[in-house]
Amino acid sequence: MKFIKLLIILLAVMTLNGCVLTKLITVPMRIGGAVISIIPVAGNTAHDAIDKAADQVDDINI
């Protein structure tokens, strides 16, 4: 019974590993970029840079 529980936990961790960990990092980045985008003149440039960085973090294979 312990082996089955361990196997299920291991499979869940392997499945959720990359997706969940990168989303924990990139969601606050994207929210910050959206807030920054309301600043006149430099807001959209900063938002685009943050969004590009968040896309690259999403592509990392963790």
Side-chain angles (χ1 to χ4, degrees):
M1 191 65 165
K2 274 187 164 184
F3 178 72
I4 294 173
K5 286 183 182 179
L6 180 64
L7 183 63
I8 290 171
I9 291 171
L10 183 62
L11 287 173
V13 167
M14 288 174 59
T15 303
L16 298 174
N17 190 8
C19 179
V20 172
L21 291 178
T22 58
K23 293 300 178 193
L24 286 174
I25 295 169
T26 58
V27 168
M29 288 174 70
R30 293 183 193 275
I31 292 171
V35 170
I36 288 174
S37 69
I38 63 171
I39 298 172
V41 182
N44 286 332
T45 305
H47 170 71
D48 292 340
I50 291 171
D51 198 36
K52 187 176 179 182
D55 286 339
Q56 290 181 352
V57 171
D58 277 339
D59 291 339
I60 294 174
N61 294 327
I62 295 178

